[in-house]
Amino acid sequence: MIELKRGITLLAFTLAGTLALSSPVTASDHARSAPAGAGPRTALGPGPGIPGTAATITEGQVKEVAPGGVITYPSVTSCLTVTVRLRDGGLVGAHASLFQVPGELRSDEILAALGQLTGGRPVIAVQVKGAVGAWHPGYFVKAIESYGEDEQPPYPAHPDPEGLADAVSRGLAVPGGLVTVEDVPDGDQIVG
C-alpha cells in the first residue's frame, strides 16, 4: 500500500511539473519556427499544448484559452480582433494589426494561423471587433507591407462590415452566418 501511495505521489509531482513548465502555444510561435517550404503542421505542435484559462493577445498574435477562459486584447485602436468560439467552450483569438509588429504575424498571415490553431474543431461563432472603418477586407489577403513603392494599397472608402465578414469566413473556411462584425471604441477588449 505504501509503494502504491509513493507511485501515485511521484506521478502527481511529475504531471504538475510538466504542466508548470509548459506554456500556451501560439500559432505565431510555430509560424516563425517552421522551416521554409515546410508542409502544414498542427498549431499545437508535437507537445501537449494545453491551453490556459487566460491569455493576453497583443498585435500580430494568435492564442487559445480553455473552456471557460478569458482573452484580453489590449489597446485595440486601429486593429481588429477575431475570436473563434469553439463548441467545447474554448476560445481561439487573433489580434490583427494594420501594420506588422516586428516579430509578429502580418494581417495576411493571421487568419491562416488562427485556422491552424482552431484545428478543424467545431466552431459555433466568430466575432470580429475593432476599428472596422480602418480596415479593407483585402488586408486579410495582402498586408499593407506587401505592396511595393509603385503600388497603391486599397484604402476603405467607408466601413465594410459585410466585406470583412466575408473575408474572415473565407479565410477560416467557416459559414458566413457564423461571423459577426462590430465596430467598437478604442481600448482593451475582454472576451470570455
Side-chain angles (χ1 to χ4, degrees):
M1 185 68 166
I2 292 174
E3 288 303 315
L4 179 60
K5 286 182 181 179
R6 282 187 191 153
I8 292 172
T9 302
L10 179 60
L11 178 61
F13 279 117
T14 303
L15 289 173
T18 301
L19 290 175
L21 293 174
S22 66
S23 63
V25 176
T26 66
S28 57
D29 292 336
H30 289 291
R32 285 192 300 273
S33 65
R41 95 187 239 206
T42 62
L44 297 179
I50 300 169
T53 57
T56 298
I57 305 177
T58 60
E59 294 180 37
Q61 294 183 341
V62 176
K63 295 181 183 177
E64 177 176 3
V65 295
V70 175
I71 293 176
T72 300
Y73 299 102
S75 304
V76 179
T77 54
S78 62
C79 303
L80 286 179
T81 64
V82 182
T83 305
V84 176
R85 291 187 175 276
L86 301 172
R87 185 184 318 161
D88 71 0
L91 302 171
V92 184
H95 192 148
S97 179
L98 273 178
F99 298 97
Q100 182 181 20
V101 172
E104 301 295 351
L105 297 172
R106 294 185 331 194
S107 63
D108 57 359
E109 300 170 319
I110 206 93
L111 293 179
L114 185 59
Q116 184 181 16
L117 194 55
T118 302
R121 291 175 285 172
V123 172
I124 61 168
V126 179
Q127 299 166 306
V128 180
K129 296 181 180 182
V132 172
W135 278 75
H136 187 280
Y139 297 162
F140 285 117
V141 178
K142 186 173 182 178
I144 291 174
E145 298 88 0
S146 298
Y147 289 86
E149 288 184 25
D150 58 336
E151 296 179 291
Q152 180 66 37
Y155 293 104
H158 54 80
D160 187 3
E162 294 82 15
L164 291 171
D166 184 57
V168 170
S169 170
R170 282 185 281 115
L172 295 177
V174 299
L178 296 180
V179 182
T180 59
V181 177
E182 181 182 355
D183 190 32
V184 297
D186 292 355
D188 294 352
Q189 293 180 19
I190 299 173
V191 179

